[in-house]
Amino acid sequence: MTEKTEQLQQWIQKSSRVVFFGGAGVSTESGIPDFRSVDGLYHQKYDYPPETILSHSFFQRNTEEFYRFYKDKMLALDVQPNMAHRRLAEWEASGHLKAVVTQNIDGLHQKAGSREVLELHGSVHRNYCTRCHKFYDAAYIKAADGVPRCSCGGVIKPDVVLYEEGLDDTTIRRSIEHISNADVLIIGGTSLVVYPAAGLIDYFRGDHLVVINKSVTSRDRFADLVIDDSIGKAFGEIKVE
C-alpha cells in the first residue's frame, strides 16, 4: 500500500458519508472504451463523428444509422464489473459510502452490487417506446434487426442522455444532495470536462476531496489528495471494514 492509498483508506474508514463521482475511466478497466482517450471512440473512423451520431437530432433524422453505431459501440452487455465497482459496493454495504454518482451508462455499478447509483447520463438497460412508453431491456435492443420497434410499432429509444438533451431533474437533485452532505468526495476516472455533470462537484463542502485519475484534471489543485493511477489498482489496495 502506498502512502496515498493508506491515507484514503483512513478517511474512508472513519467516514459514513463518502460519495463517489465517476466517469468513463471506471469502466475502461472492464473493457469499455471511453470517448476521449487515444484509443477511444473519438479517434476511430465513422461516417459521422460520435458526438453527431449520439445527438437527439441525429437520432430523430437518421435513426437507423444511430442504432448501427449504438448497438456496435455502446452496448457492451457481456462486460463484468472491475475492482473499482466491487470496492464501491463493499463500502456501501459496510456503511461508509452513501452514493455513487456516475456519468457512465453501462450499469456496472449495479451489477457489482451498488444500490444508491445516480446515473447522470441514463442507462443502456432502460429503453422505452417513443409512442406508448412500453419498457424494453438492453438485450432486446441488441438483438433487434435494424431500428428496434415496439409491439405497437413505435420506435424504441434508449433512456440515455444524448447530446442536445438535458439531464434528469430528479437525478441532479439527488446527486447535489449527496455531494453537499458528503464529508469525503472521491472523484475517479473522469477528466471533468463534460458539463453540466462536472459542475456538480462545486456543491461539495466536506472535509476531504480526492481525485484519482491517470491524467491531470481541473480539480487537482483543489484536492486534498491526488492519485495519478488506475482507479481499480488504487481501490484494490484499500481494505475497509
Side-chain angles (χ1 to χ4, degrees):
M1 177 179 288
T2 66
E3 183 179 340
K4 288 185 175 183
T5 51
E6 184 175 4
Q7 177 65 81
L8 179 54
Q9 176 175 279
Q10 292 175 6
W11 288 343
I12 296 171
Q13 186 70 57
K14 293 178 181 178
S15 176
S16 60
R17 290 183 297 158
V18 178
V19 170
F20 178 77
F21 181 95
V26 179
S27 293
T28 53
E29 295 177 42
S30 289
I32 296 178
D34 71 357
F35 275 62
R36 293 173 177 82
S37 69
V38 174
D39 299 318
L41 297 181
Y42 276 98
H43 293 266
Q44 300 179 26
K45 302 296 184 182
Y46 298 96
D47 291 340
Y48 302 89
E51 66 268 29
T52 298
I53 299 174
L54 296 174
S55 67
H56 178 79
S57 56
F58 191 91
F59 174 82
Q60 291 187 311
R61 289 194 320 266
N62 202 337
T63 312
E64 187 170 354
E65 184 67 18
F66 169 89
Y67 267 116
R68 186 176 297 116
F69 176 89
Y70 179 82
K71 287 192 280 187
D72 183 38
K73 296 298 180 182
M74 309 300 286
L75 286 183
L77 303 184
D78 296 328
V79 297
Q80 298 300 318
N82 59 56
M83 179 59 75
H85 299 106
R86 294 195 295 271
R87 279 287 190 259
L88 290 166
E90 291 171 7
W91 298 342
E92 182 183 26
S94 61
H96 297 285
L97 184 82
K98 283 296 184 183
V100 169
V101 181
T102 181
Q103 299 171 79
N104 297 334
I105 60 176
D106 48 53
L108 288 178
H109 286 293
Q110 292 92 329
K111 200 170 186 177
S114 290
R115 300 174 65 86
E116 182 67 3
V117 181
L118 300 167
E119 298 171 307
L120 296 173
H121 296 152
S123 172
V124 299
H125 296 283
R126 298 188 300 269
N127 304 273
Y128 299 93
C129 173
T130 55
R131 181 184 296 173
C132 74
H133 306 295
K134 182 178 178 179
F135 173 86
Y136 289 89
D137 62 17
Y140 181 89
I141 303 301
K142 187 78 170 180
D145 184 19
V147 176
R149 291 191 174 273
C150 177
S151 55
C152 76
V155 173
I156 300 171
K157 181 183 180 297
D159 186 20
V160 298
V161 179
L162 302 176
Y163 290 98
E164 304 166 353
E165 295 180 340
L167 304 188
D168 177 72
D169 288 340
T170 300
T171 303
I172 292 177
R173 178 178 52 77
R174 289 173 59 201
S175 298
I176 291 173
E177 182 178 342
H178 279 300
I179 292 172
S180 298
N181 292 325
D183 51 26
V184 178
L185 177 62
I186 305 172
I187 301 171
T190 173
S191 53
L192 293 174
V193 297
V194 177
Y195 282 81
L200 297 178
I201 304 303
D202 293 333
Y203 289 93
F204 178 64
R205 295 291 184 270
D207 299 325
H208 304 298
L209 177 64
V210 181
V211 176
I212 306 174
N213 201 54
K214 290 182 178 180
S215 59
V216 174
T217 79
S218 59
R219 302 293 172 141
D220 287 10
R221 60 195 178 101
F222 301 108
D224 300 291
L225 184 65
V226 176
I227 300 176
D228 304 313
D229 206 344
S230 151
I231 188 167
K233 180 182 175 183
F235 280 6
E237 296 179 2
I238 297 173
K239 301 288 176 22
V240 175
E241 299 178 357

